[in-house]
Amino acid sequence: MPLELGAKLAVYLASEESNGITGKLISAQWDPWQDLQKHRDELAMSDIYCLRRIVPEDRGKKWS
């Protein structure tokens, strides 16, 4: 993957165009990030492109 593609994604994410697209795990190479603003409302209400941290309590464990 060319570094330029990753740089373009970084610029997009820092721009006003991507406002509202937060907390997502997006691949510069594999995901259609250039069009994500079209799906902003759907993304906000879904777990698409989300990475979730699972803690022991989520699995019924009490470690602390």
Side-chain angles (χ1 to χ4, degrees), residues 9-43:
L9 174 56
V11 168
Y12 167 75
L13 291 173
S15 74
E16 288 188 23
E17 187 177 11
S18 73
N19 283 355
I21 301 173
T22 62
K24 305 297 181 180
L25 182 65
I26 302 168
S27 168
Q29 182 176 6
W30 303 111
D31 298 326
W33 55 269
Q34 298 92 335
D35 296 322
L36 288 182
Q37 70 277 4
K38 295 176 185 175
H39 306 283
R40 185 184 335 263
D41 293 337
E42 290 176 276
L43 285 169

